[in-house]
Amino acid sequence: MTGDWTLNALNREGRRLSAALRGAPAARYDLTQVGKLDTAGAFALIRAAGGELDPAKVEARPESQRLIELVAEAAAKREAPKREPRGWHEMTVRIGKGVVSTGYDAFDTLVFAGHLLIVLAKSLVNPLRIRWASVFSLAERAGLDAIPIVAVTSFFIGAVVGLLGANMLREFGAQVFAVELIGVAVLREFNILITAILLAGRSASSFAAEIGSMKMNQEVDAMKVMGVDPFEALVFPRFMALLVTIPLLTFVATLAGLCGGLAVTWSVLDIGPSFFFQRILEYVGPTHFWVGLSKAPIMAIVIAGIGCRQGMEVGGDVESLGRRVTAAVVHAIFAIIMIDAAFALLYMELDI
């Protein structure tokens, strides 16, 4: 064999060599006259010999001999088939991965919260650092634009509560207490709960998608290169916007829910507006309203935090964006329900 056995020089010689050596596995190979030899040439010789080549059958210069030995050793290796876990083993592996992933998520959440607290402290020291234009723009999108859906949903929730209360209490001749049922349910629970769940599906997903798309387009990295803190420019304004708008939307949801309950009691029980609101003031009172409103800042922090954090975790592909947006909505709704349950237990212990 003569000439150069390199990638550029081989061309069709590999197939010609395979045809020449077919049926002669015991041949010896004299490469002493070969000029240049690279890994492509060595692999072509090994493939022509049937995929396995004994280096002892090759006569070549020392450097070529060593190269052939290395390529033959690499070509002879076969990747061992990986056994997939089954049954109990598979379940324990999934549980272990879930626990480790939860630990990493908890650590990343603490890092996110710490960075946000630093930005909050800087903003309190120097309020001029706050991007008020972004805050008002986001407050309009997350607050004013959400008033119709919050009002309509709360109206029907109040109507359903009133209808159920009227039908159940009618059996005991206590239909008038449907007013107290509507007042307590709407003022204490459903106003903030409906508002927070709607904003979780509306604003948390929006925050995650907006920040995630900026991450995909490397706009966040560009902001860091220019010396702009993404938390200060993207995350903090969204926190401020929800902190302002959720109490407003909770108030709107309260009025809409009471109007829905009033519509049912007026049409079914013939309880007029004056009597309805008189019983609300006398027997329900403002305490339940303030209890519901006290949850609003916590809900705002949770919704904005989950949406922005999921957006900051988006990778460079569309699949990652979709998974993070879905996770933002699911995590936010789950957190809202858990927080509402915790508040219910707390106020029950405090007898409020």
Side-chain angles (χ1 to χ4, degrees), residues 158-243:
V160 169
V161 172
L163 186 62
L164 291 176
N167 289 334
M168 293 181 63
L169 295 173
R170 182 179 295 169
E171 299 179 3
F172 305 99
Q175 301 94 318
V176 70
F177 291 105
V179 177
E180 283 82 347
L181 176 62
I182 295 170
V184 173
V186 172
L187 293 174
R188 191 180 186 97
E189 292 294 336
F190 286 119
N191 54 359
I192 181 60
L193 198 59
I194 295 301
T195 301
I197 290 176
L198 288 176
L199 286 184
R202 192 176 183 277
S203 298
S205 59
S206 174
F207 293 168
E210 291 170 357
I211 298 177
S213 63
M214 296 181 68
K215 283 269 293 183
M216 288 177 56
N217 296 329
Q218 298 182 347
E219 296 178 37
V220 175
D221 296 333
M223 294 174 64
K224 294 178 181 179
V225 171
M226 292 186 297
V228 178
D229 188 357
F231 276 75
E232 189 173 333
L234 300 177
V235 178
F236 187 70
R238 286 167 170 78
F239 270 86
M240 292 290 294
L242 285 191
L243 281 173

Side-chain angles (χ1 to χ4, degrees), residues 59 72 81 137 172-173 177 205 216 234 255 268 291 297 311 314 316 322 330:
E59 296 181 5
S137 175
F172 305 99
F177 291 105
S205 59
M216 288 177 56
L234 300 177
L255 294 180
V268 176
V291 167
V314 171
V330 174

Side-chain angles (χ1 to χ4, degrees), residues 50-61:
E52 295 183 1
L53 178 64
D54 186 2
K57 297 181 180 180
V58 179
E59 296 181 5
R61 290 176 297 179

Side-chain angles (χ1 to χ4, degrees), residues 16-315:
R16 293 177 56 189
L17 182 62
S18 298
L21 295 179
R22 188 175 295 118
R28 297 186 63 85
Y29 309 97
D30 185 3
L31 304 181
T32 55
Q33 302 300 319
V34 172
K36 297 179 181 179
L37 179 69
D38 62 3
T39 54
F43 183 71
L45 178 63
I46 295 170
R47 185 173 57 184
E52 295 183 1
L53 178 64
D54 186 2
K57 297 181 180 180
V58 179
E59 296 181 5
R61 290 176 297 179
E63 61 273 15
S64 299
Q65 186 78 23
R66 179 56 180 162
L67 179 61
I68 293 173
E69 292 177 359
L70 292 175
V71 175
E73 182 182 355
K77 289 184 177 179
R78 297 290 185 271
E79 185 177 356
K82 184 179 179 181
R83 296 180 59 186
E84 295 293 334
R86 299 292 182 185
W88 176 259
H89 184 201
E90 181 183 9
M91 187 183 69
T92 56
V93 169
R94 291 172 64 91
I95 293 175
K97 289 182 178 179
V99 172
V100 173
S101 177
T102 302
Y104 281 122
D105 285 343
F107 178 77
D108 292 339
T109 302
L110 292 176
V111 173
F112 180 89
H115 200 159
L116 185 62
L117 288 176
I118 293 174
V119 174
L120 175 61
K122 292 180 180 178
S123 301
L124 291 177
V125 173
N126 184 12
L128 297 178
R129 299 175 63 96
I130 301 177
R131 300 172 181 263
W132 294 107
S134 298
V135 172
F136 290 129
S137 175
L138 291 166
E140 180 182 3
R141 286 192 307 167
L144 297 180
D145 293 348
I147 287 178
I149 184 65
V150 170
V152 171
T153 306
S154 299
F155 178 87
F156 284 108
I157 291 295
V160 169
V161 172
L163 186 62
L164 291 176
N167 289 334
M168 293 181 63
L169 295 173
R170 182 179 295 169
E171 299 179 3
F172 305 99
Q175 301 94 318
V176 70
F177 291 105
V179 177
E180 283 82 347
L181 176 62
I182 295 170
V184 173
V186 172
L187 293 174
R188 191 180 186 97
E189 292 294 336
F190 286 119
N191 54 359
I192 181 60
L193 198 59
I194 295 301
T195 301
I197 290 176
L198 288 176
L199 286 184
R202 192 176 183 277
S203 298
S205 59
S206 174
F207 293 168
E210 291 170 357
I211 298 177
S213 63
M214 296 181 68
K215 283 269 293 183
M216 288 177 56
N217 296 329
Q218 298 182 347
E219 296 178 37
V220 175
D221 296 333
M223 294 174 64
K224 294 178 181 179
V225 171
M226 292 186 297
V228 178
D229 188 357
F231 276 75
E232 189 173 333
L234 300 177
V235 178
F236 187 70
R238 286 167 170 78
F239 270 86
M240 292 290 294
L242 285 191
L243 281 173
V244 172
T245 57
I246 282 190
L248 172 63
L249 291 175
T250 303
F251 180 74
V252 172
T254 302
L255 294 180
L258 291 178
C259 289
L262 171 62
V264 170
T265 55
W266 197 357
S267 60
V268 176
L269 302 179
D270 198 22
I271 295 178
S274 59
F275 183 74
F276 181 89
F277 287 109
Q278 180 182 357
R279 289 192 68 89
I280 290 289
L281 292 175
E282 292 180 358
Y283 296 100
V284 178
T287 302
H288 295 291
F289 172 73
W290 293 115
V291 167
L293 196 62
S294 65
K295 308 172 188 178
I298 306 299
M299 299 296 187
I301 292 173
V302 169
I303 294 172
I306 291 176
C308 294
R309 181 185 175 277
Q310 294 296 333
M312 296 294 286
E313 294 294 327
V314 171

